Amino acid sequence: MEFPFDLAPVLGERFCVVDQHLRPAGRGGGGGAKREELEQQLRTVIDELGKASAKAQGLSTPVTSAARMESNRHVMYILRDTRSPRGAVLGFLKVGYKKLFLLERDGSHVEVEPLCVLDFYIHESQQRRGLGRELFREMLQRERVQPHRLAVDRPSEKLLAFLSKHFGLRDRIPQVNNFVIFDGFFSTRTAPARRALPRPRPEEPIKPYSLSERDFLREEAEPPWPFNLSRGSPVRGSLRPFLLRRESPAGTPPGTAPEPPPRRASSLGRVGR
Protein backbone atom coordinates (compact mmCIF):
# COMPACT_ATOMS: atom_id res chain seq x y z
CA MET A 1 0.00 0.00 0.00
CA GLU A 2 1.57 3.25 -1.17
CA PHE A 3 1.04 6.81 0.07
CA PRO A 4 1.69 10.22 -1.53
CA PHE A 5 4.38 11.09 1.03
CA ASP A 6 7.67 9.62 2.19
CA LEU A 7 7.14 6.93 4.82
CA ALA A 8 10.70 6.92 6.16
CA PRO A 9 10.21 9.95 8.49
CA VAL A 10 6.84 8.56 9.59
CA LEU A 11 7.53 4.86 10.16
CA GLY A 12 11.31 4.70 10.40
CA GLU A 13 12.80 1.25 9.87
CA ARG A 14 11.20 -1.92 8.49
CA PHE A 15 9.20 -2.56 11.68
CA CYS A 16 7.41 0.36 13.29
CA VAL A 17 5.73 0.04 16.71
CA VAL A 18 2.96 2.56 17.40
CA ASP A 19 1.11 2.95 20.70
CA GLN A 20 -1.68 5.26 21.91
CA HIS A 21 0.59 8.33 21.75
CA LEU A 22 0.81 8.08 17.93
CA ARG A 23 4.40 9.29 17.75
CA PRO A 24 6.18 9.00 14.39
CA ALA A 25 9.08 6.58 14.59
CA GLY A 26 11.27 8.31 11.98
CA ARG A 27 13.71 11.17 12.52
CA GLY A 28 12.29 13.92 10.40
CA GLY A 29 14.03 17.29 10.47
CA GLY A 30 12.32 20.62 11.09
CA GLY A 31 10.53 22.20 14.01
CA GLY A 32 7.08 21.86 15.55
CA ALA A 33 5.24 22.36 12.25
CA LYS A 34 7.13 19.46 10.67
CA ARG A 35 6.39 17.29 13.68
CA GLU A 36 2.66 17.98 13.42
CA GLU A 37 2.79 17.12 9.73
CA LEU A 38 4.41 13.76 10.48
CA GLU A 39 1.82 13.00 13.14
CA GLN A 40 -0.99 13.72 10.70
CA GLN A 41 0.64 11.48 8.11
CA LEU A 42 0.86 8.68 10.68
CA ARG A 43 -2.84 9.06 11.44
CA THR A 44 -3.56 8.78 7.72
CA VAL A 45 -1.55 5.56 7.47
CA ILE A 46 -3.39 4.01 10.43
CA ASP A 47 -6.83 4.97 9.13
CA GLU A 48 -6.14 3.62 5.65
CA LEU A 49 -4.78 0.34 7.02
CA GLY A 50 -7.89 -0.06 9.18
CA LYS A 51 -10.17 0.47 6.18
CA ALA A 52 -8.25 -2.03 4.06
CA SER A 53 -8.39 -4.64 6.83
CA ALA A 54 -12.14 -4.16 7.32
CA LYS A 55 -12.73 -4.53 3.57
CA ALA A 56 -10.67 -7.72 3.41
CA GLN A 57 -12.63 -9.24 6.34
CA GLY A 58 -16.02 -8.07 5.12
CA LEU A 59 -16.64 -5.77 8.08
CA SER A 60 -18.90 -2.76 7.79
CA THR A 61 -16.86 -0.66 10.26
CA PRO A 62 -13.06 -0.69 10.70
CA VAL A 63 -11.83 -1.97 14.06
CA THR A 64 -8.56 -0.06 13.69
CA SER A 65 -8.28 3.71 13.41
CA ALA A 66 -6.18 6.54 14.83
CA ALA A 67 -9.04 7.60 17.11
CA ARG A 68 -9.40 4.06 18.50
CA MET A 69 -5.67 3.83 19.06
CA GLU A 70 -5.69 7.03 21.12
CA SER A 71 -8.52 5.82 23.37
CA ASN A 72 -7.13 2.32 23.99
CA ARG A 73 -3.86 0.89 25.17
CA HIS A 74 -3.23 -1.06 21.97
CA VAL A 75 -0.02 -1.52 20.01
CA MET A 76 0.34 -1.67 16.22
CA TYR A 77 3.22 -3.42 14.50
CA ILE A 78 3.51 -1.93 11.00
CA LEU A 79 5.66 -3.63 8.36
CA ARG A 80 6.90 -1.49 5.49
CA ASP A 81 8.93 -2.03 2.34
CA THR A 82 12.18 -0.06 2.49
CA ARG A 83 13.25 -0.83 -1.09
CA SER A 84 10.84 1.50 -2.89
CA PRO A 85 11.72 5.24 -3.12
CA ARG A 86 8.92 6.48 -0.84
CA GLY A 87 8.31 3.18 0.87
CA ALA A 88 5.13 1.11 0.98
CA VAL A 89 3.20 -0.48 3.83
CA LEU A 90 3.03 -4.27 3.54
CA GLY A 91 0.75 -5.04 6.48
CA PHE A 92 0.14 -4.58 10.19
CA LEU A 93 -0.74 -6.47 13.37
CA LYS A 94 -2.60 -4.91 16.32
CA VAL A 95 -2.47 -6.43 19.81
CA GLY A 96 -3.49 -5.39 23.31
CA TYR A 97 -4.16 -6.76 26.79
CA LYS A 98 -7.79 -7.32 27.77
CA LYS A 99 -9.55 -8.69 30.83
CA LEU A 100 -11.57 -11.73 29.78
CA PHE A 101 -13.70 -14.42 31.41
CA LEU A 102 -12.69 -17.64 29.69
CA LEU A 103 -13.72 -21.26 30.04
CA GLU A 104 -11.38 -24.09 30.84
CA ARG A 105 -11.99 -27.53 29.39
CA ASP A 106 -13.82 -28.62 32.55
CA GLY A 107 -16.26 -25.69 32.16
CA SER A 108 -14.92 -23.57 35.01
CA HIS A 109 -14.72 -19.79 34.50
CA VAL A 110 -11.36 -18.06 34.83
CA GLU A 111 -10.67 -14.31 34.80
CA VAL A 112 -7.45 -13.59 32.91
CA GLU A 113 -5.79 -10.67 31.10
CA PRO A 114 -3.97 -12.16 28.09
CA LEU A 115 -2.37 -10.52 25.12
CA CYS A 116 -5.03 -10.48 22.38
CA VAL A 117 -4.71 -10.37 18.62
CA LEU A 118 -7.19 -7.63 17.66
CA ASP A 119 -6.53 -7.01 13.95
CA PHE A 120 -4.24 -8.50 11.30
CA TYR A 121 -3.79 -7.57 7.66
CA ILE A 122 -1.33 -8.25 4.85
CA HIS A 123 -1.81 -6.44 1.56
CA GLU A 124 -3.35 -8.64 -1.11
CA SER A 125 -0.37 -8.20 -3.45
CA GLN A 126 2.09 -9.32 -0.73
CA GLN A 127 0.41 -12.48 0.62
CA ARG A 128 1.99 -15.95 0.59
CA ARG A 129 5.47 -14.50 0.85
CA GLY A 130 6.09 -15.14 4.54
CA LEU A 131 5.43 -11.54 5.56
CA GLY A 132 2.62 -12.45 7.97
CA ARG A 133 4.83 -15.00 9.73
CA GLU A 134 7.64 -12.43 9.92
CA LEU A 135 5.27 -9.87 11.41
CA PHE A 136 3.91 -12.31 14.01
CA ARG A 137 7.37 -13.45 15.07
CA GLU A 138 8.52 -9.86 15.52
CA MET A 139 5.53 -9.19 17.77
CA LEU A 140 6.01 -12.39 19.80
CA GLN A 141 9.67 -11.58 20.35
CA ARG A 142 9.06 -8.01 21.49
CA GLU A 143 6.08 -8.88 23.68
CA ARG A 144 7.85 -11.95 25.09
CA VAL A 145 4.86 -14.24 24.80
CA GLN A 146 4.34 -17.75 23.45
CA PRO A 147 1.84 -18.32 20.59
CA HIS A 148 -0.39 -20.64 22.67
CA ARG A 149 -0.80 -17.86 25.25
CA LEU A 150 -2.56 -15.56 22.77
CA ALA A 151 -6.29 -14.92 22.59
CA VAL A 152 -7.60 -14.07 19.12
CA ASP A 153 -10.60 -11.78 18.64
CA ARG A 154 -13.06 -12.92 15.93
CA PRO A 155 -10.52 -14.79 13.78
CA SER A 156 -11.41 -15.52 10.19
CA GLU A 157 -10.97 -18.97 8.70
CA LYS A 158 -7.94 -17.70 6.83
CA LEU A 159 -6.32 -16.49 10.08
CA LEU A 160 -7.08 -19.79 11.83
CA ALA A 161 -5.45 -21.68 8.97
CA PHE A 162 -2.45 -19.33 9.18
CA LEU A 163 -2.00 -19.94 12.94
CA SER A 164 -2.36 -23.68 12.49
CA LYS A 165 0.23 -23.83 9.69
CA HIS A 166 2.96 -21.61 11.13
CA PHE A 167 2.50 -21.93 14.91
CA GLY A 168 0.77 -25.29 15.40
CA LEU A 169 -2.34 -23.78 17.01
CA ARG A 170 -5.02 -26.31 16.09
CA ASP A 171 -6.84 -27.64 19.14
CA ARG A 172 -9.24 -24.87 20.20
CA ILE A 173 -10.91 -24.54 23.62
CA PRO A 174 -14.58 -23.55 23.04
CA GLN A 175 -15.64 -20.18 24.46
CA VAL A 176 -18.95 -18.34 24.82
CA ASN A 177 -17.50 -15.00 23.66
CA ASN A 178 -15.85 -13.93 20.40
CA PHE A 179 -12.31 -14.86 21.48
CA VAL A 180 -10.54 -18.04 20.48
CA ILE A 181 -7.88 -19.71 22.61
CA PHE A 182 -5.92 -22.87 21.97
CA ASP A 183 -4.71 -25.89 23.85
CA GLY A 184 -1.93 -24.93 26.27
CA PHE A 185 -3.38 -21.51 27.08
CA PHE A 186 -3.86 -22.45 30.76
CA SER A 187 -0.74 -24.62 31.01
CA THR A 188 1.37 -22.01 32.81
CA ARG A 189 -1.38 -20.70 35.08
CA THR A 190 -0.49 -21.45 38.69
CA ALA A 191 -3.16 -22.89 40.94
CA PRO A 192 -4.14 -20.79 43.95
CA ALA A 193 -2.28 -21.72 47.10
CA ARG A 194 -4.31 -23.59 49.66
CA ARG A 195 -4.17 -22.62 53.31
CA ALA A 196 -2.93 -25.38 55.54
CA LEU A 197 -5.42 -26.10 58.29
CA PRO A 198 -3.93 -26.34 61.80
CA ARG A 199 -3.74 -29.82 63.23
CA PRO A 200 -6.16 -30.54 66.04
CA ARG A 201 -4.46 -30.41 69.43
CA PRO A 202 -4.62 -33.70 71.33
CA GLU A 203 -6.66 -33.68 74.49
CA GLU A 204 -4.35 -33.29 77.46
CA PRO A 205 -5.14 -35.13 80.72
CA ILE A 206 -6.21 -33.00 83.65
CA LYS A 207 -3.23 -32.61 85.94
CA PRO A 208 -3.74 -32.60 89.78
CA TYR A 209 -2.72 -29.58 91.73
CA SER A 210 0.90 -29.45 92.73
CA LEU A 211 1.91 -29.25 96.37
CA SER A 212 2.61 -25.52 96.16
CA GLU A 213 -0.83 -24.89 94.64
CA ARG A 214 -2.45 -26.96 97.39
CA ASP A 215 -0.62 -25.00 100.11
CA PHE A 216 -1.75 -21.76 98.52
CA LEU A 217 -5.38 -22.86 98.46
CA ARG A 218 -5.22 -24.01 102.12
CA GLU A 219 -3.97 -20.64 103.34
CA GLU A 220 -6.49 -19.16 105.72
CA ALA A 221 -7.95 -15.75 105.10
CA GLU A 222 -6.45 -13.03 107.27
CA PRO A 223 -8.91 -11.16 109.58
CA PRO A 224 -9.46 -7.45 108.87
CA TRP A 225 -7.48 -4.73 110.58
CA PRO A 226 -7.08 -4.15 113.54
CA PHE A 227 -7.95 -7.70 114.63
CA ASN A 228 -4.92 -8.98 112.79
CA LEU A 229 -2.76 -6.98 115.20
CA SER A 230 -3.51 -9.12 118.24
CA ARG A 231 -0.63 -10.34 120.38
CA GLY A 232 1.21 -13.16 118.77
CA SER A 233 -0.23 -12.46 115.32
CA PRO A 234 2.45 -10.95 113.05
CA VAL A 235 1.67 -8.01 110.80
CA ARG A 236 2.03 -9.12 107.18
CA GLY A 237 2.92 -7.17 104.10
CA SER A 238 5.14 -4.27 103.24
CA LEU A 239 3.16 -1.87 105.52
CA ARG A 240 4.14 -3.67 108.74
CA PRO A 241 6.78 -1.14 109.99
CA PHE A 242 4.47 1.79 109.19
CA LEU A 243 1.49 0.29 111.05
CA LEU A 244 3.55 -0.60 114.09
CA ARG A 245 5.01 2.90 114.40
CA ARG A 246 1.57 4.43 113.90
CA GLU A 247 -0.27 2.33 116.50
CA SER A 248 2.45 2.04 119.19
CA PRO A 249 1.73 4.30 122.26
CA ALA A 250 4.35 6.47 123.85
CA GLY A 251 6.93 4.53 125.78
CA THR A 252 6.24 1.31 123.91
CA PRO A 253 9.24 0.00 122.06
CA PRO A 254 8.79 -0.21 118.26
CA GLY A 255 7.84 -3.64 116.99
CA THR A 256 5.52 -4.41 119.97
CA ALA A 257 1.85 -4.96 119.18
CA PRO A 258 -0.55 -2.74 121.19
CA GLU A 259 -2.70 -4.16 123.96
CA PRO A 260 -6.23 -5.07 122.90
CA PRO A 261 -8.98 -2.76 124.25
CA PRO A 262 -10.85 -3.85 127.43
CA ARG A 263 -13.93 -5.97 126.80
CA ARG A 264 -17.19 -4.21 127.64
CA ALA A 265 -19.91 -5.97 129.59
CA SER A 266 -22.97 -6.97 127.64
CA SER A 267 -26.04 -4.80 128.24
CA LEU A 268 -28.28 -7.83 128.06
CA GLY A 269 -26.59 -9.27 131.15
CA ARG A 270 -27.39 -6.21 133.28
CA VAL A 271 -31.06 -6.34 132.33
CA GLY A 272 -31.30 -9.96 133.31
CA ARG A 273 -30.05 -9.17 136.82
Side-chain angles (χ1 to χ4, degrees), residues 238-250 252-256 258:
S238 58
L239 296 178
R240 176 183 178 184
F242 172 76
L243 293 176
L244 292 180
R245 288 195 301 268
R246 180 181 177 184
E247 300 296 336
S248 298
T252 305
T256 303

Side-chain angles (χ1 to χ4, degrees), residues 2-211:
E2 296 182 353
F3 292 87
F5 47 83
D6 189 5
L7 292 175
V10 180
L11 302 179
E13 302 299 330
R14 181 173 175 81
F15 289 99
C16 175
V17 182
V18 182
D19 58 11
Q20 61 183 353
H21 302 291
L22 302 184
R23 294 171 181 169
R27 297 181 179 180
K34 183 62 176 179
R35 189 70 179 180
E36 292 180 1
E37 181 183 356
L38 293 178
E39 291 177 355
Q40 184 58 43
Q41 292 175 354
L42 178 60
R43 298 176 67 92
T44 301
V45 170
I46 295 174
D47 290 339
E48 292 300 321
L49 287 175
K51 294 176 182 178
S53 176
K55 182 179 178 180
Q57 300 180 60
L59 303 177
S60 58
T61 303
V63 296
T64 299
S65 64
R68 286 177 177 265
M69 287 291 297
E70 286 179 319
S71 59
N72 295 280
R73 301 183 63 180
H74 298 161
V75 177
M76 282 186 66
Y77 289 83
I78 302 177
L79 177 62
R80 81 177 188 95
D81 186 7
T82 58
R83 297 173 297 178
S84 60
R86 288 180 175 270
V89 177
L90 304 176
F92 77 96
L93 173 63
K94 186 176 74 171
V95 296
Y97 286 91
K98 286 183 172 293
K99 288 186 178 182
L100 304 174
F101 286 94
L102 300 178
L103 293 176
E104 293 194 22
R105 289 197 177 277
D106 58 0
S108 58
H109 286 79
V110 180
E111 183 180 6
V112 293
E113 191 174 4
L115 183 66
C116 302
V117 177
L118 304 175
D119 203 357
F120 176 51
Y121 170 73
I122 298 295
H123 194 268
E124 289 77 9
S125 63
Q126 303 296 326
Q127 294 180 5
R128 300 186 181 277
R129 297 178 56 183
L131 298 178
R133 181 176 67 252
E134 183 181 2
L135 190 57
F136 252 88
R137 287 180 176 175
E138 180 71 16
M139 181 273 296
L140 293 173
Q141 181 180 0
R142 294 202 184 192
E143 299 293 338
R144 298 180 180 180
V145 65
Q146 297 296 323
H148 59 269
R149 296 287 295 165
L150 295 172
V152 188
D153 185 18
R154 295 183 179 91
S156 62
E157 293 298 327
K158 184 182 294 187
L159 178 55
L160 292 175
F162 169 83
L163 296 175
S164 174
K165 177 181 179 180
H166 297 291
F167 300 99
L169 302 178
R170 301 180 180 88
D171 193 5
R172 286 178 275 177
I173 302 177
Q175 301 297 316
V176 296
N177 50 27
N178 297 320
F179 286 85
V180 172
I181 60 176
F182 299 89
D183 189 32
F185 181 86
F186 298 104
S187 59
T188 57
R189 190 172 65 88
T190 57
R194 298 181 178 180
R195 294 182 58 187
L197 297 178
R199 296 182 178 180
R201 301 180 61 180
E203 296 183 359
E204 299 180 357
I206 300 176
K207 298 180 180 181
Y209 292 114
S210 61
L211 294 179

Side-chain angles (χ1 to χ4, degrees), residues 267-273:
S267 60
L268 295 177
R270 290 195 299 266
V271 173
R273 294 178 185 178

